Amino acid sequence: MMRKVIAAAFKSKGKRKMTRSELIYTMSFDLNWFTHEGSKRVVEQAEKERLIEGNEEVVPTFDIDDIEVSSDFKPDLSKLLSRSVVDRIVDDLVDKTGKSYQEVISMINAKQEKLEGLVSFAVSALIVAKEQGLKIEEYLPEVEREVFG
């Protein structure tokens, strides 16, 4: 969902790059999604997830044209900021494959069963993501921390 939030904010302005302040302003005032403080936290989280990069001017690290955003899209801040790495992988798989959340979870469960439970759910999610053509590099450090503590 974070990828969709970032894409929607940039698309709403018709821009490929914005200052950090403009991105925060867009989410809080133009789109009326979050408070100013909430928008700052979303931008910080998007940077942590490596979905945007840059110093004063930021750009998405993915093609925003690949993300479909409905006109009534309204993200939930609490869900957005409390997502685990597995949640983000599942969200990206839903977006990439067009499958439902439950179908994606079933794919991951099936992969874990096929591997006879030798890998965690997070690792199974990574494998499915890779098989579906997602770039998984951004998730590797976090899954590694989750698996190896």
Side-chain angles (χ1 to χ4, degrees), residues 50-67:
R50 296 187 179 120
L51 296 176
I52 57 173
E53 63 186 10
N55 292 320
E56 185 49 35
E57 283 196 325
V58 293
V59 295
T61 59
F62 59 96
D63 187 353
I64 61 174
D65 294 329
D66 289 345
I67 309 295

Side-chain angles (χ1 to χ4, degrees), residues 6-19 22-23 26 30 57-60 62-65:
I6 297 302
F10 277 89
K11 285 180 173 188
S12 76
K13 289 295 198 179
K15 295 184 174 185
R16 300 284 177 184
K17 102 170 70 165
M18 283 192 239
T19 65
E22 184 179 9
L23 181 56
T26 297
D30 294 344
E57 283 196 325
V58 293
V59 295
F62 59 96
D63 187 353
I64 61 174
D65 294 329

Side-chain angles (χ1 to χ4, degrees), residues 2 6 18 26 40 51 67 98 108 111 114 122 124 130 140 143 145:
M2 182 69 78
I6 297 302
M18 283 192 239
T26 297
K40 283 172 61 175
L51 296 176
I67 309 295
I108 296 168
K111 179 59 67 178
K114 183 176 181 188
S124 296
K130 182 72 173 173
L140 293 176
V143 170
R145 279 192 304 274

Side-chain angles (χ1 to χ4, degrees), residues 22 26 45 56 66 68 77 82 96 102 119 122 137:
E22 184 179 9
T26 297
Q45 184 63 33
E56 185 49 35
D66 289 345
E68 285 191 41
L77 183 63
S82 66
K96 169 85 173 167
Q102 193 54 47
V119 298
E137 293 77 15

Side-chain angles (χ1 to χ4, degrees), residues 36-145:
H36 182 74
E37 189 58 37
S39 294
K40 283 172 61 175
R41 291 177 55 208
V42 168
V43 169
E44 289 167 4
Q45 184 63 33
E47 287 175 313
K48 278 185 195 170
E49 294 182 25
R50 296 187 179 120
L51 296 176
I52 57 173
E53 63 186 10
N55 292 320
E56 185 49 35
E57 283 196 325
V58 293
V59 295
T61 59
F62 59 96
D63 187 353
I64 61 174
D65 294 329
D66 289 345
I67 309 295
E68 285 191 41
V69 182
S70 63
S71 59
D72 62 345
F73 176 66
K74 175 112 167 100
D76 180 329
L77 183 63
S78 63
K79 288 181 183 173
L80 203 57
L81 296 178
S82 66
R83 299 174 327 135
S84 70
V85 67
V86 172
D87 292 334
R88 295 193 317 268
I89 294 169
V90 170
D91 285 347
D92 286 349
L93 278 164
V94 167
D95 288 343
K96 169 85 173 167
T97 64
K99 295 185 183 303
S100 71
Y101 177 85
Q102 193 54 47
E103 288 171 316
V104 168
I105 295 296
S106 293
M107 289 169 62
I108 296 168
N109 283 333
K111 179 59 67 178
Q112 194 171 25
E113 283 179 28
K114 183 176 181 188
L115 296 171
E116 299 178 355
L118 294 173
V119 298
S120 70
F121 189 80
V123 172
S124 296
L126 274 180
I127 294 168
V128 170
K130 182 72 173 173
E131 289 172 349
Q132 294 297 316
L134 266 69
K135 293 181 183 176
I136 63 168
E137 293 77 15
E138 66 187 80
Y139 303 117
L140 293 176
E142 207 169 338
V143 170
E144 184 177 333
R145 279 192 304 274

